[in-house]
């Protein structure tokens, strides 16, 4: 995991005016940097910054560094950190808010945001990943013929190896209950 240097920790980037961001900063001001969320997170190994470091960056308003990070994209909304946080900071909600804000405020994050939404929608619809449907909804949401062309060589390669299959609905709806529960929990927050 990447460590923050003293210089980086003191470089402050002004936050754009955004009510969700202000709300997020207010909530994260309760964070006492105990690291319980990081120690509890099953995905921490895949994150470049720990959740605790991310909250510190939000407190300092270092939005550029936050959007460069892949940490919030790696959050699978398991709610473990939220259950264990001694200051009731709601880290899961903060991760979800950062995914939305990155999609809105950071050009480089828009593709990641589009892929994240296409991926979640694909799993919800088919009950497992259906690569061809996933890529077609992702590329459609980007509305970029150039980007679609970039994927042509790998698509042709996969087709040649018999790795592309037409979407099957054999597992459709299997995860619907789980997604509904997540919707319900998110509505309560
Ligand atoms: S567990 Fe809560 S208080 Fe502790 S570092 Fe994480 S968000 Fe902050
Ligand atoms: S909700 Fe996200 S950040 Fe919290 S423990 Fe689960 S994966 Fe980690």
């Amino acid at each position: 995991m990447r460590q923050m240097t003293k210089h980086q920790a003191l470089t402050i980037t002004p936050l754009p005016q955004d009510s969700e961001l202000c709300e997020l900063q207010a909530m994260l001001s309760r964070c006492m940097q105990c690291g319980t969320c990081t120690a509890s997170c099953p995905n921490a190994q895949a994150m470049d910054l720990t959740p605790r470091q991310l909250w510190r960056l939000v407190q300092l308003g270092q939005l550029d560094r936050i959007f460069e990070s892949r940490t919030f994209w790696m959050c699978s909304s398991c709610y473990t950190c939220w259950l264990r946080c001694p200051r009731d900071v709601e880290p899961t909600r903060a991760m979800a808010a950062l995914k939305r804000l990155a999609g809105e405020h950071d050009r480089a994050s828009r593709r990641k945001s589009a892929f994240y939404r296409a991926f979640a929608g694909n799993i919800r619809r088919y009950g497992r990943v259906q690569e061809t449907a996933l890529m077609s909804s992702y590329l459609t949401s980007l509305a970029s013929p150039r980007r679609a062309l970039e994927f042509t060589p790998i698509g042709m390669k996969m087709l040649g190896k018999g790795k592309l299959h037409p979407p099957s609905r054999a597992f459709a709806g299997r995860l619907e209950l789980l997604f509904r529960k997540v919707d319900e929990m998110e509505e309560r927050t």
Side-chain angles (χ1 to χ4, degrees):
M1 285 171 195
R2 197 165 59 176
Q3 297 297 311
M4 277 188 283
T5 65
K6 190 176 176 188
H7 171 73
Q8 284 169 326
L10 292 174
T11 308
I12 297 179
T13 308
L15 293 167
Q17 288 306 306
D18 181 299
S19 58
E20 187 173 17
L21 197 53
C22 294
E23 207 183 296
L24 182 65
Q25 255 195 322
M27 176 176 77
L28 287 167
S29 68
R30 300 201 296 269
C31 173
M32 62 179 183
Q33 292 285 292
C34 68
T36 305
C37 48
T38 298
S40 311
C41 180
N43 297 345
Q45 290 305 314
M47 295 170 173
D48 52 339
L49 295 172
T50 65
R52 181 192 62 77
Q53 288 173 327
L54 202 60
W55 312 145
R56 189 71 184 127
L57 290 173
V58 174
Q59 288 171 341
L60 292 170
Q62 294 193 4
L63 212 56
D64 296 346
R65 292 212 57 222
I66 293 166
F67 289 160
E68 266 174 26
S69 166
R70 65 169 179 270
T71 289
F72 52 95
W73 296 114
M74 292 291 116
C75 169
S76 53
S77 303
C78 70
Y79 287 85
T80 312
C81 53
W82 193 338
L83 287 171
R84 294 185 178 164
C85 174
R87 302 299 290 267
D88 197 25
V89 165
E90 307 177 25
T92 313
R93 188 173 143 220
M95 291 290 190
L98 287 175
K99 283 173 190 159
R100 281 193 298 277
L101 290 166
E104 283 165 24
H105 292 289
D106 182 54
R107 192 189 294 185
S109 293
R110 277 191 202 123
R111 276 188 201 163
K112 288 183 198 161
S113 172
F115 188 81
Y116 180 84
R117 277 184 275 113
F119 188 83
N122 185 272
I123 292 182
R124 184 168 193 162
R125 185 161 183 206
Y126 295 102
R128 51 166 295 176
V129 175
Q130 287 283 338
E131 295 88 349
T132 41
L134 168 63
M135 289 315 288
S136 81
S137 61
Y138 169 57
L139 293 171
T140 305
S141 70
L142 288 182
S144 162
R146 191 179 61 81
R147 189 76 181 139
L149 284 175
E150 283 171 21
F151 279 95
T152 305
I154 190 160
M156 297 305 288
K157 210 168 168 181
M158 287 175 76
L159 195 63
K161 291 183 182 289
K163 300 280 185 196
L164 288 186
H165 309 285
S168 151
R169 301 195 61 84
F171 297 95
R174 292 262 177 110
L175 298 176
E176 188 52 30
L177 269 181
L178 186 132
F179 275 99
R180 269 197 234 148
K181 189 69 193 168
V182 171
D183 288 344
E184 196 186 302
M185 290 177 82
E186 283 178 352
E187 269 166 30
R188 270 196 248 142
T189 62

